[in-house]
């Protein structure tokens, strides 16, 4: 598909004049070839249609000889396709040889000369690509080839385009033009505005171009035909040498410098770009830490010379950027740039800044940056300072801590802080990038005096950077410096000052209070975080004795701000740390709880407060003993007012603590208080679950107050299920008389006895009371009643089980119990169910299964009768399956008994047959051998083997048959 598209594209190209012919005819037309005006060309029509008139028709005319320009160009385009798309230079050479032969033999036609040049141009490129340098030379040798081809070559010896093609092959070509010819071609091309012809000549045109530039060094022609510009294209290094020569001349002035700058600007990437030949790369596609090597140092010298000319120095700065990017400055250029930096030329600072855009961490640029720190322009000093930040500690930069420009001082502050180091990576197809490097640059403690000076800087922006560094390094301010920072009008300074407050809590307390009342919400937030941090870490930074109260200033601030909500201590973990710090002494603990209880309008998380009193590794006894009974009860009642989901956690924590008597009494008082919600009382009971009075307390909370008729106990059951721990079985067993008394909702009873039944701890004596109490309403207590029915059946209490056969829900358990226990009277109970059509419809299948378990003929008769009367196919099938099961059992039993009788008869027969083996009658001996084989009497094998030697042939045959059967 791609080849087809290219054929169409090249075909359209072939029907029009080639690019080379158009370019040549538009720029330099040889006088020897008359040119037909466009109007005349369009008026001419060929007498006969040729292969080139229609490309698609021509494809099918393999025998048509090309006779016009279009036809030949189609063949040349096909050869170019073979070379550039198919990648077959040998095939392209063959095609072009044929084209050249046809061209030489063809009669004269319009544009024949241009087509010949195009074929020679493509042939030269094909031969050079094949490395056939000799073939390329022979192409231009007038002594080689047919007479007509020799005449063609001879006619081109003065054509500039032909000379450019010959120059491409080299100086060994037979028709290689001499210097004067090339000079005439170059001069004519420049004069006739045909720069393409000059670039075709390449380096061969360099001497002529140099002569043109030296003749008029101050001339400023159009840049596209400027000999110096063309010299850069043809021979960049010779152009650099000529530029140095012109700029060093005594009469060099503005025009000469401007001419050089203008031409260099048009060829910037060619002379110093990353992908040019000016740089030596180990491998352009990979990345390296080291910059490339500048090979074209002459161009750097040219840029340095231009920088020394004030009128064009600004124009030369963009070339400096290319050298800066690849870290290739030298001392002369640095001196020139330093000189420029100290001028007051308008806009110079901006242009120099652009040139130094990527100056950071460049070794050859660092001395220049250090020198620019002394520049008169604040912008340049700031630029240099910001670039030097990226490098490790630079003494020249740190010496500018008193620079009049605050942005320079800010850069100094940044330079002493911890930061990521940077580096340049070079490569990636001639480019560069910036990457982080390790290790990072860290704060040097020797710079502490410099940091203190910057912390006192009059400009808030500088102070903010210094405060950030102090905060990162854990450096605290003194009280005076912190107060001065907190008085700043800049919120960011106040924000950072909070993170650097004095470590002494007595000094920090008033400053924290000031920050927590700040007008800026972010300052207030960081002040709250700082206070939390100090509360969490205070016991780690200062050795507090458990017997020494918190400093009054800090305690008053903490309690006041916490209760007011200004501290923002949220979450159980933060409150735990806070409370443990504030509850180490009775004075602090009681002040804390009292402050919370006295502010009901601003409730504090009481459950978090209570949980913080639990034991810790450093304080295994907890902190409850630091309170009194009144505060304990008040705190627990506040907990009960909050989320019920965390009450049991507090109770669990209490149970794990060392509980003084007043703590246990406070918990028991809440459990016994009928005014407290029953669920909360149950959760508090968890704290006393190991008490010997837990059963009595459970009975009391279950019975007092009396349950409301509309209360089904659902909320209580939900609460009891969500507890991670349960009361011990002994406590629940102690409350069983109350549970089965009929005063407690069914759901509550079920929730309490279920675990006893599951753990097989339920006493058997409560089975009958459960049935008597709840058999009339078994929906919610079905599992427990099923257990009770099974237990009564196991105990043989069939009087309790018999009524359950008539219960709608419990009959399943009762029928199963009768089927497993099989009491004699049970067969009649089950038969009554099958005989009753109403009961048989619902329970007939279960009853039939239970009856089949009796495995008696009486049971089979009942099942046969039930099958005859069955109200549904399912019941009938269950009855018949039961009969089949009973019949199979009875048959197996009879077969077993019969098997015992048959074995005795076989043994007797074997003994009789064994006695006949020695009979006088041969027939009897033979029949005895066969009989033993039939009865599989393998124990007589030795005797049968001896009978193989019997005197009678019939006996021997019978013995052989018997042995064969026994062997099988």
């Amino acid at each position: 598909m791609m080849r087809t598209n290219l054929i169409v594209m090249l075909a359209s190209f072939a029907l029009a004049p080639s690019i080379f012919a158009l370019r040549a005819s538009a720029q330099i037309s040889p006088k020897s070839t008359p040119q037909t005006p466009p109007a005349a060309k369009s008026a001419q029509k060929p007498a006969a249609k040729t292969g080139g008139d229609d490309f698609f028709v021509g494809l099918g005319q393999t025998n048509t000889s090309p006779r016009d320009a279009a036809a030949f160009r189609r063949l040349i385009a096909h050869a170019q396709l073979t070379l550039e798309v198919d990648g077959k230079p040998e095939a392209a050479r063959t095609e072009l040889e044929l084209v050249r032969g046809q061209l030489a033999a063809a009669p004269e036609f319009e544009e024949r000369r241009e087509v010949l040049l195009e074929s020679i141009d493509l042939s030269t490129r094909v031969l050079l690509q094949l490395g056939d340098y000799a073939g390329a030379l022979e192409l231009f040798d007038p002594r080689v080839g047919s007479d007509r081809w020799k005449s063609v070559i001879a006619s081109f010896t003065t054509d500039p385009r032909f000379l450019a093609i010959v120059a491409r092959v080299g100086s060994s070509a037979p028709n290689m033009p001499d210097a004067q010819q090339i000079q005439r071609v170059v001069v004519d091309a420049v004069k006739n505005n045909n720069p393409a012809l000059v670039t075709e000549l390449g380096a061969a045109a360099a001497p002529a171009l140099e002569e043109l530039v030296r003749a008029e060094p101050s001339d400023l022609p159009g840049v596209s035909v400027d000999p110096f510009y063309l010299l850069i294209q043809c021979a960049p290094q010779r152009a650099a040498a000529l530029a140095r020569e012109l700029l060093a001349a005594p009469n060099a002035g503005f025009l000469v410098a401007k001419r050089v700058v203008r031409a260099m600007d048009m060829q910037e990437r060619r002379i110093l770009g990353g992908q040019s030949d000016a740089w030596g790369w180990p491998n352009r596609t990979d990345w390296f830490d080291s910059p490339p090597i500048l090979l074209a140092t002459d161009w750097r010298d040219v840029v340095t010379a231009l920088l020394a000319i004030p009128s064009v120095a600004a124009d030369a700065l963009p070339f400096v950027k290319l050298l800066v990017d690849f870290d290739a400055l030298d001392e002369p250029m640095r001196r020139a740039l330093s000189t420029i930096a100290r001028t007051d030329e308008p806009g110079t600072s901006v242009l120099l800044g652009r040139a130094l855009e990527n100056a950071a961490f460049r070794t050859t640029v660092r001395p220049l940056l250090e020198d620019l720190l002394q520049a008169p322009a604040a912008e340049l000093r700031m630029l240099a300072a910001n670039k030097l930040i990226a490098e490790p500690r630079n003494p020249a930069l740190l010496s500018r801590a008193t620079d009049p420009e605050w942005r320079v001082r800010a850069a100094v502050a940044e330079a002493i802080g911890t930061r990521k180091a940077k580096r340049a990576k070079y490569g990636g197809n001639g480019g560069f990038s910036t990457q982080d490097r390790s290790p990072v640059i860290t704060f040097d403690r020797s710079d502490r005096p410099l940091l203190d000076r910057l912390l006192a800087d009059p400009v808030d922006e500088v102070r903010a950077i210094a405060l950030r560094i102090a905060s990162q390094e854990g450096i605290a301010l003194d009280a005076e410096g912190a107060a001065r920072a907190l008085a700043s009008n800049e919120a960011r300074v106040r924000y950072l000052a909070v993170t650097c407050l004095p470590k002494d809590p007595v000094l920090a307390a008033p400053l924290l209070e000031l920050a927590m009342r700040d007008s800026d919400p972010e300052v207030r937030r960081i002040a709250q975080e700082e206070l939390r941090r100090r509360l969490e870490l205070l016991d780690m930074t200062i050795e507090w004795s458990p017997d020494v109260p918190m400093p009054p200033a800090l305690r008053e601030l903490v309690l006041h701000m916490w209760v007011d909500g200004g501290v923002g201590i949220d979450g159980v973990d933060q409150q735990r740390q806070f409370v443990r710090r504030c509850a180490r002494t009775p004075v602090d603990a009681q002040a804390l709880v009292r402050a919370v209880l006295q502010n009901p309008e601003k409730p504090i998380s009481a459950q978090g407060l209570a949980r913080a009193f639990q034991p810790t590794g450093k304080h295994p006894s907890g902190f409850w003993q630091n309170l009194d009974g009144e505060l304990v009860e008040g705190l627990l009642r506040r907990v009960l007012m909050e989320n019920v989901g965390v009450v049991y956690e507090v109770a669990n924590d209490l149970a794990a603590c060392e509980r003084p008597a007043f703590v246990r009494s406070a918990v028991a008082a809440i459990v016994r208080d009928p005014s407290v919600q029953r669920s909360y009382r149950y959760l508090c009971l968890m704290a006393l679950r190991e008490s010997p009075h837990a059963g009595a307390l459970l009975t009391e909370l279950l019975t007092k107050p009396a349950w409301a008729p509309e209360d089904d106990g659902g909320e209580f059951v939900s609460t009891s299920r969500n507890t991670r721990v349960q009361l011990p079985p002994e406590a629940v067993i102690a409350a069983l008389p109350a549970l089965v008394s009929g005063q407690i909702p069914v759901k509550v009873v079920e929730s309490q006895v279920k675990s006893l039944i599951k753990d097989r701890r339920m006493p058997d004596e409560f089975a009958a009371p459960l049935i008597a109490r709840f058999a009339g309403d078994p929906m919610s207590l079905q599992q427990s009643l099923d257990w009770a029915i099974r237990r009564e059946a196991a105990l043989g209490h069939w009087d309790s089980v018999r009524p359950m056969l008539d219960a709608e829900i419990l009959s399943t358990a009762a029928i199963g119990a009768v089927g497993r226990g099989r009491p004699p009277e049970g067969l009649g109970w089950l038969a009554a169910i099958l005989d009753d059509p109403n009961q048989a419809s619902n329970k007939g299948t279960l009853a039939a299964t239970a009856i089949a378990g009796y495995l008696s003929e009486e049971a089979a008769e009942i099942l046969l009768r039930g099958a005859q009367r069955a109200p549904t196919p399912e019941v009938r099938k269950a009855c018949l399956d039961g009969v089949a099961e009973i019949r199979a059992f009875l048959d197996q039993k009879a077969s077993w008994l019969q098997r015992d009788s048959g074995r005795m008869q076989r043994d007797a027969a074997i003994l009789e047959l064994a006695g006949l083996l020695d009979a006088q009658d041969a027939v009897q001996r033979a029949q005895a051998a066969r009989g033993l084989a039939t009865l599989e009497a393998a124990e007589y094998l030795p005797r049968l083997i001896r009978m193989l030697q019997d005197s009678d042939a019939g006996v021997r045959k019978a013995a052989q048959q018997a042995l064969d059967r026994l062997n099988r």
Side-chain angles (χ1 to χ4, degrees), residues 60-105:
Q61 298 176 353
T62 55
N63 297 324
T64 302
S65 299
R67 292 188 298 174
D68 61 358
F72 280 108
R73 284 194 171 111
R74 181 175 67 80
L75 296 177
I76 294 172
H78 189 276
Q80 185 176 0
L81 180 71
T82 303
L83 172 68
E84 297 179 355
V85 177
D86 294 344
K88 299 178 179 179
E90 287 286 357
R93 174 166 63 178
T94 302
E95 293 180 17
L96 288 170
E97 287 175 353
L98 178 61
V99 171
R100 291 197 307 273
Q102 292 175 331
L103 273 170

Side-chain angles (χ1 to χ4, degrees), residues 375-428:
E379 291 80 3
L380 289 178
R381 299 201 306 276
M382 180 184 65
L383 169 70
N386 287 332
K387 299 303 178 185
L388 290 172
I389 290 175
E391 300 185 358
R393 189 175 183 276
N394 189 289
L397 176 58
L398 300 189
S399 67
R400 303 302 299 176
T402 58
D403 194 281
E405 173 58 44
W406 70 266
R407 290 173 295 182
V408 176
R409 303 198 302 275
V412 174
E414 291 282 4
I416 65 174
T418 298
R419 61 201 185 281
K420 289 184 178 179
K422 303 286 185 179
R423 63 178 173 184
K425 300 286 284 185
Y426 302 93

Side-chain angles (χ1 to χ4, degrees), residues 591-769:
L592 174 66
V593 177
R594 193 170 290 110
V596 172
L597 297 179
Q598 290 175 354
N599 288 271
E601 295 181 358
K602 297 179 179 179
I604 304 301
S605 176
Q607 67 265 21
L609 179 62
R611 291 203 65 189
F613 282 78
Q614 68 181 354
T616 65
K618 295 182 179 180
H619 304 278
S621 61
F623 299 98
W624 288 98
Q625 70 274 13
N626 288 340
L627 304 179
D628 55 29
E630 178 184 358
L631 292 176
V632 171
E633 186 172 352
L635 180 58
L636 290 178
R637 290 186 180 276
R638 175 67 70 83
V639 172
L640 294 175
M641 294 169 59
E642 297 179 1
N643 183 5
V644 67
V646 299
V647 175
Y648 76 92
E649 295 180 0
V650 176
N652 291 339
D653 296 339
L654 270 172
C657 289
E658 177 183 329
R659 289 159 291 160
F662 65 84
V663 174
R664 295 195 298 272
S665 299
V667 177
I670 294 175
V671 175
R672 292 193 176 96
D673 187 353
S675 64
V676 178
Q677 187 174 342
R678 203 184 310 265
S679 299
Y680 294 179
R681 295 162 61 195
Y682 182 82
L683 292 172
C684 290
L685 179 59
M686 295 298 104
L688 303 175
R689 61 181 180 273
E690 297 176 357
S691 169
H693 307 292
L697 291 172
L698 176 61
T699 302
E700 189 170 355
L701 76 86
L702 288 175
T703 57
K704 296 179 182 179
W707 294 82
E710 65 277 6
D711 189 355
D712 64 352
E715 181 179 354
F716 179 87
V717 171
S718 176
T719 301
S720 63
R721 287 175 179 172
N722 289 333
T723 56
R724 289 181 300 194
V725 295
Q726 300 292 332
L727 289 172
E730 293 77 13
V732 181
I733 292 172
L736 281 176
L739 289 169
V740 300
S741 65
Q743 302 175 4
I744 301 172
V746 175
K747 289 184 179 180
V748 178
V749 177
E750 175 75 6
S751 68
Q752 297 298 311
V753 303
K754 187 192 307 183
S755 61
L756 292 177
I757 293 174
K758 180 180 178 181
D759 298 336
R760 301 183 180 181
R761 298 291 300 272
M762 186 71 175
D764 290 343
E765 60 265 25
F766 285 96

